[in-house]
Amino acid sequence: MDPFTPDSAAPGDGPEAGETRPEDRPARLAVGVVGAGRVGTALGAALARAGHRVVAAAAVSDRSRERVEERLPGAAVVTPQDAVAAADLVLLTVPDDALPELAAGLVAAGVPVTGKLVMHTSGRYGSAVLDPLTRAGALPLALHPVMTFTGRPDDVDRLTGISFGVTAPEPLRPVAEALVVEMGGEPVWITEERRPLYHAALAGGANHLVTLVVEAMDLLRTAGVGEPGRMLGPLLGAALDNALRLGIDGLTGPVARGDAGTVADHVAELGKVSAESRRAYIALARLTADRALAAGLLKPEAAERLLEALAD
């Protein structure tokens, strides 16, 4: 089966002359979802928009069953084995730690996978985690959407224009990239050996950003600010924009200025409030100083004074 045969439409076939509705396109895939959480149901819905048919989903919790009903109407709620057996394209959208066991377990259960596209969405793993399935005849794909999913209705719309980290055996690369495009995303190739570093960068940037923002809001509340989110919003929005456009050249503040006295005051004040906050500030300020020095934004003598202020 070639799931990506170019469409051929005769005049009057679609909503407008020369157009074909997604559901009428040839060689559409039957999709099975194993792990009907936020990500699995969002991607399933995106594939349905592209004209594929989500025929089955494995859902355990009541909330997962509700998501299937809301996002994947018409999909049968079945066991993981039956979801795989019913599909041409299988989405394994389970937590990272469960993925190796699931791949091995499906093979051990004797589920037929020969010729099936089996796709996982873990950022941590490349396609090698699916090796048990690959040896059984499956076609492995690792497609990681670079986006957070909240379970809200707009999760599917958020896929439009985002990057997907793509890893697959080279012969399957065109298929993997085509699926990403069909879901509205932009494929970015990540080699198997670089997959953990790729994921560490994303997790560090996104997850730790949330921690930093929440930490800043807590400290502002302690300082007496009633609406810290309102205060931080414009500042953090500008800082993020500067970082994405300018890199380290977008850095501002006391470390960039080499203002060791101000930094020393920060460290002392944070020590009164929280030892954890103090340690985090020192670690990030040291990293900031190192980067500013390497970029030529900070003179060596200023960096030396800063490091003295940041000594434990």
Side-chain angles (χ1 to χ4, degrees), residues 162-231:
I162 70 166
S163 297
F164 279 67
V166 174
T167 306
E170 189 62 36
L172 293 176
R173 180 171 178 172
V175 176
E177 293 178 342
L179 283 170
V180 170
V181 171
E182 283 200 324
M183 288 186 284
E186 178 183 343
V188 179
W189 186 253
I190 309 294
T191 62
E192 184 79 31
E193 64 272 15
R194 290 297 187 185
R195 196 80 178 193
L197 180 61
Y198 151 83
H199 193 231
L202 294 176
N207 303 157
H208 298 166
L209 176 61
V210 173
T211 302
L212 283 172
V213 174
V214 172
E215 170 79 358
M217 290 196 295
D218 285 347
L219 292 171
L220 285 171
R221 288 190 189 96
T222 302
V225 176
E227 296 185 56
R230 184 174 180 180
M231 176 179 284

Side-chain angles (χ1 to χ4, degrees), residues 40-55:
T41 54
L43 297 188
L47 288 166
R49 281 187 180 182
H52 300 290
R53 297 176 298 112
V54 183
V55 296

Side-chain angles (χ1 to χ4, degrees), residues 2-16 18-29 47-53 182:
D2 178 4
F4 306 107
T5 303
D7 300 330
S8 57
D13 283 348
E16 297 181 9
E19 291 186 0
T20 302
R21 295 178 304 172
E23 60 269 26
D24 294 334
R25 293 173 186 167
R28 297 292 87 189
L29 297 169
L47 288 166
R49 281 187 180 182
H52 300 290
R53 297 176 298 112
E182 283 200 324

Side-chain angles (χ1 to χ4, degrees), residues 44-294:
L47 288 166
R49 281 187 180 182
H52 300 290
R53 297 176 298 112
V54 183
V55 296
V60 177
S61 69
D62 290 341
R63 185 65 191 102
S64 293
R65 290 172 178 268
E66 289 172 4
R67 288 195 188 100
V68 172
E69 185 176 346
E70 292 166 2
R71 292 184 171 182
L72 310 175
V77 177
V78 296
T79 65
Q81 293 89 339
D82 288 341
V84 174
D88 305 313
L89 168 62
V90 180
L91 275 58
L92 302 183
T93 47
V94 298
D96 289 3
D97 288 349
L99 189 55
E101 183 178 354
L102 175 61
L106 290 171
V107 173
V111 180
V113 296
T114 301
K116 296 178 186 288
L117 293 166
V118 180
M119 161 189 152
H120 76 73
T121 56
S122 167
R124 171 184 174 187
Y125 293 111
S127 57
V129 71
L130 301 178
D131 278 351
L133 292 162
T134 304
R135 289 192 292 270
L139 307 173
L141 309 172
L143 306 183
H144 173 243
V146 184
M147 179 49 62
T148 61
F149 295 88
T150 63
R152 296 168 60 86
D154 61 355
D155 278 351
V156 182
D157 296 328
R158 284 184 169 190
L159 294 171
T160 302
I162 70 166
S163 297
F164 279 67
V166 174
T167 306
E170 189 62 36
L172 293 176
R173 180 171 178 172
V175 176
E177 293 178 342
L179 283 170
V180 170
V181 171
E182 283 200 324
M183 288 186 284
E186 178 183 343
V188 179
W189 186 253
I190 309 294
T191 62
E192 184 79 31
E193 64 272 15
R194 290 297 187 185
R195 196 80 178 193
L197 180 61
Y198 151 83
H199 193 231
L202 294 176
N207 303 157
H208 298 166
L209 176 61
V210 173
T211 302
L212 283 172
V213 174
V214 172
E215 170 79 358
M217 290 196 295
D218 285 347
L219 292 171
L220 285 171
R221 288 190 189 96
T222 302
V225 176
E227 296 185 56
R230 184 174 180 180
M231 176 179 284
L232 284 170
L235 173 65
L236 298 184
L240 179 59
D241 180 64
N242 287 342
L244 293 175
R245 288 189 303 107
L246 306 174
I248 195 64
D249 289 335
L251 181 66
T252 63
V255 173
R257 295 191 300 266
D259 193 344
T262 297
V263 169
D265 285 347
H266 291 173
V267 171
E269 194 62 27
L270 288 170
K272 300 175 185 176
V273 176
S274 165
E276 284 188 352
S277 296
R278 179 181 180 275
R279 286 194 296 269
Y281 181 96
I282 288 173
L284 287 170
R286 285 174 175 169
L287 181 59
T288 303
D290 288 343
R291 284 190 169 272
L293 179 62

